[in-house]
Amino acid sequence: MNAVISQTLAREGEVDFGFQELFFSRTDSRGVILSGNEVFRRVSGYGWTDLLGAPHKIIRHPDTPRGVFRILWDALGKGHPMGGYVKNRARNGDYYWVFAVLVPAPEGFLSVRMRPSTPLFASIREVYAELAQRERTERLDPEEGAQALCDFAASQGFSSYTSFMASAMGQELVARDAKLGRLTDARTAQLVALNTSLEEVTREQRNLLRSFEALQSVPNNMRIIASRLEPSGGPVSAISENYRSSSQVISERLRSFVAGRDNLCDRVSRQASKALFLIGAHRVLSEMRLNFADAQPVPGIDWAHERQILVAIEAQAQRDTGTAMEQAIAHAEVLGRASAEIRRQMLGLDTIRVLGRVETGRMRGTNSHLSATIDQLDVSHSDIRLRLETIMRLSEGIGTTMRMFQRSQRLF
């Protein structure tokens, strides 16, 4: 059975451990190890006398960029949980990879780690290798490395690193279930699906703003063309000016929820991602607590105390998840209403666009450039409407799914 669960033989230089195994360790606020489980001790290759009281960085591998730890410590220092892929070094120089779930604990911090196996894991290893090389050759500092990781998350369509890690956790949990021959947990499947929706909202908000900004030059083009075709103050010039003033009002409204720091779309994504990360973390923590039943006595570790800490952290995670869900639902409702309002305002622009088409039709034989400009408006308006409708649909879906999580008796 154990051979089946382990899946593959260890490669040279890599410590092998099973997908069913979870690492556990707890540190004080300085990162000094206070406790851990047998999986942690065995895979690290150290004895308990070497681990207890030692800094957790005793297992740090130089191939894990310092920017990773900057992100983790920044989040924990603010009282937020965070996840991350980490390459560790065993005592004999071998290495092992984990996906770590880190949460604040009463006396410091707690980490539960599992074996990663997703395609995302393969991608992140390439990113880490590049950053670690830059640290060695360019003296890249941790802050720059952390920003590079956030930029990578953004390039993958995520609005925040928390959203990126929530998606990573969901994917790793699904992959782990498959490796262990278990049915995918229903909540975990919803977690992955909802993260996909959040990514789509992020893409749509960026594309929507780009589409609308592309319209800003059209009224000027119309006015320039009209000045060549009609007397000053003619109907097309008036239409172009009316379009310009109306589109500016919509642009300002649009920017309020898709542009700038802490915009409405990002607030939806951030709170939903936090809730999703906590849901996944709760599942991992619960499994770890159940594993304590098989824990072997270790001098200096009070397993009853460790279990109490995990119970307290699970309860806090439940409360924090509920708060994040409520905020995500509220933000999603506001986002849906804002999108609907802008869609209604777009109807006014459509009316102006139609008037422009009518006036263009009257200017027979001299209107080819003007007609092409109106054609551009037709395409842009259609694109913007579709993106607004997509954001409305996704916002409603995010809110509905969050409410299902809230009502579920099986959530915790």
Side-chain angles (χ1 to χ4, degrees), residues 4-232:
V4 173
I5 292 176
S6 293
Q7 299 291 325
T8 58
L9 295 175
R11 295 187 294 275
E12 183 178 359
E14 183 175 7
V15 183
D16 189 35
F17 60 95
F19 282 99
Q20 86 283 10
E21 297 184 293
L22 292 175
F23 293 65
F24 167 82
S25 61
R26 188 170 61 84
T27 73
D28 65 14
S29 59
R30 299 171 301 161
V32 174
I33 298 172
L34 301 176
S35 66
N37 66 346
E38 178 60 20
V39 177
F40 175 44
R41 187 212 63 77
R42 189 192 82 239
V43 177
S44 71
Y46 289 94
W48 284 118
T49 55
D50 300 310
L51 290 173
L52 297 179
H56 207 279
K57 64 182 180 181
I58 192 174
I59 60 169
R60 180 177 174 182
H61 197 291
D63 284 352
T64 301
R66 291 179 296 167
V68 175
F69 299 108
R70 172 59 61 88
I71 290 175
L72 295 175
W73 283 109
D74 281 353
L76 293 171
K78 296 174 182 176
H80 303 314
M82 182 54 73
Y85 291 96
V86 180
K87 184 177 184 179
N88 289 325
R89 173 178 277 172
R91 183 172 190 172
N92 66 357
D94 288 344
Y95 69 91
Y96 56 98
W97 281 95
V98 296
F99 182 82
V101 179
L102 297 97
V103 296
E107 301 173 29
F109 310 105
L110 182 150
S111 173
V112 177
R113 305 178 290 282
M114 58 184 169
R115 180 172 175 174
S117 62
T118 61
L120 177 59
F121 170 47
S123 298
I124 205 70
R125 280 183 293 180
E126 295 179 4
V127 175
Y128 279 19
E130 179 182 346
L131 286 179
Q133 180 63 25
R134 290 180 61 191
E135 286 182 350
R136 288 189 285 267
T137 60
E138 302 175 20
R139 298 187 180 277
L140 189 73
D141 66 37
E143 191 66 36
E144 293 173 316
Q147 185 58 54
L149 288 168
C150 291
D151 290 344
F152 173 74
S155 73
Q156 302 303 302
F158 295 94
S159 61
S160 68
Y161 203 78
T162 299
S163 178
F164 180 43
M165 284 298 103
S167 178
M169 180 190 288
Q171 293 178 53
E172 292 298 344
L173 287 171
V174 169
R176 184 168 179 260
D177 285 338
K179 293 289 186 181
L180 296 175
R182 302 190 302 211
L183 294 176
T184 298
D185 177 76
R187 296 188 303 277
T188 305
Q190 287 181 313
L191 187 158
V192 174
L194 197 49
N195 264 294
T196 301
S197 295
L198 290 174
E199 294 173 48
E200 193 173 353
V201 167
T202 300
R203 287 195 301 271
E204 288 300 321
Q205 78 171 55
R206 292 171 180 168
N207 291 332
L208 176 60
L209 189 58
R210 281 197 293 266
S211 296
F212 207 87
E213 287 179 339
L215 283 181
Q216 302 311 298
S217 63
V218 175
N220 290 332
N221 293 338
M222 289 176 64
R223 189 168 57 253
I224 291 171
I225 295 171
S227 68
R228 302 169 185 165
L229 303 175
E230 63 182 9
S232 177

Side-chain angles (χ1 to χ4, degrees), residues 234-253:
V236 175
S237 296
I239 288 170
S240 66
E241 180 58 30
N242 195 5
Y243 188 96
R244 183 191 66 80
S245 60
S246 298
S247 65
Q248 283 182 341
V249 172
I250 298 177
S251 180
E252 291 172 4
R253 183 73 182 92

Side-chain angles (χ1 to χ4, degrees), residues 262-308:
D262 200 37
N263 66 70
L264 183 54
C265 284
D266 283 350
R267 291 201 295 273
V268 173
S269 180
R270 184 166 58 250
Q271 292 301 327
S273 296
K274 181 179 179 180
L276 296 177
F277 186 87
L278 285 165
I279 290 168
H282 183 273
R283 180 183 170 191
V284 174
L285 292 168
S286 297
E287 183 176 340
M288 187 69 255
R289 176 173 52 81
L290 293 174
N291 287 352
F292 276 174
D294 300 323
Q296 300 299 315
V298 176
I301 299 179
D302 182 347
W303 289 122
H305 179 58
E306 299 303 323
R307 188 177 293 107
Q308 289 176 352

